[in-house]
Amino acid sequence: MPETNDEGSPDLESGLPRRRGRTASAGAVAIRSGREAVSVELALTIFRQMVRTRALEERSIKMSKSGEAFFWVGGPGEEAFNVCLGLQVHKGRGPAYDYLHLHYRNSGVMLAMGMPMIDHSRQLAMRWTDPHSRGRNFGGHYCVPKWNVVPVTSVIEVQFAMAPGTALVQKRHGGEGISIVVGGEAGTAEGDFETCLNWSTRPGNALPVLMIVTNNRWGISTDLGTVSSVKRIADRATPYGIEAETVDGNDPVATWHAIDRAMRHCRRERKPFLLEAVVSRLHGHSSSSGAQRDWTAPDALGLFEQKLIDAGAIDAESVSAMKAEAKAEADAAVAETMKEPQPTAEDVERFTYAPSPVDVVYPEDYTGLPGRR
């Protein structure tokens, strides 16, 4: 098993009815799903990060409703998959490490990789202290050069056309670094998705791209069944000879192993893999659609919580304490964020151009790099 990287919305105590179960037991050694299993230690690590992600997402929704933020878009319901992905990323800078081409529902990936909650809320509140965009972008539009997190864009699915570029550099460089690209199932109707399938499978030039589609069946308000003739998005890989798999993204155990298999294939074979994760959308598309809770959709957090309680890996009191701690962490992050400065009018002209030889010709155009005022 791979190493791991260290009207309003409901609170974390809401959700599925919870059976008390038995007290956490030292005898529980593994958490199983079918034939697959993870250690209790890993399961609890995943669960804690899922709880933290849900707390941050729910606090972010409240930010948009209270006026602390102008817009929210995120991934409540995708915590199991996102956390399992973030914990397995080979994190670092340069082609020897994994490149991440994410979309705007990947807060769980970033938290699992070690991003502090406040770096998310700073962007959501459009603060000058936002390390991803200096308050210039929507929430969830991350950019972390030291972790190879390529800037997230609001333009749907363009990341799939970008991923073969970093993968090509990685193949030339050698090693086991891979390019991971994530998008939703609605975006697979874009030409950029087909571009990724095509450019990662050219004869003699296959590329180590892990293509991930988190399928919640909805593109804003359009059901997948009305726009796509394929039963599984993973089947789109077949004409290109790409290995593919569909996994229940609400099951952390199954998800952990599916990601592990996909990553091993890309790292060892230096070829692409398409992984489709069937997930839930618990709060609609974004704050623009109200972000109301869908109580009919499966909740990965509630389901995994009950599995852990039933296995004796944790008890109800410990779960409540973990949720209270995560909620307090999210509240503290937002409280600190709201004290921090906003960008000024003068900042509009900053961070537009990188240094170049033409600076001496057009000295007024270059206004400095991020981190310099």
Side-chain angles (χ1 to χ4, degrees), residues 43-104:
L44 292 176
T45 296
I46 294 171
F47 180 65
R48 178 176 179 272
Q49 294 297 341
M50 289 173 63
V51 169
R52 292 180 68 239
T53 303
R54 179 66 60 83
L56 179 62
E57 291 283 13
E58 290 183 347
R59 187 62 183 88
S60 298
I61 293 172
K62 290 180 180 178
M63 287 180 72
S64 71
K65 291 179 179 290
S66 67
E68 295 166 309
F70 300 99
F71 179 76
W72 165 84
V73 64
E78 300 188 22
E79 293 89 353
F81 187 88
N82 282 333
V83 166
C84 287
L85 176 60
L87 289 173
Q88 296 189 65
V89 169
H90 188 198
K91 184 175 70 176
R93 184 167 190 165
Y97 301 91
D98 296 344
Y99 280 96
L100 287 166
H101 301 264
L102 304 176
H103 69 157
Y104 43 73

Side-chain angles (χ1 to χ4, degrees), residues 6-19:
D6 277 50
E7 169 190 323
S9 62
D11 62 33
L12 286 166
E13 292 301 323
S14 303
L16 296 175
R18 182 175 64 201
R19 303 188 298 275

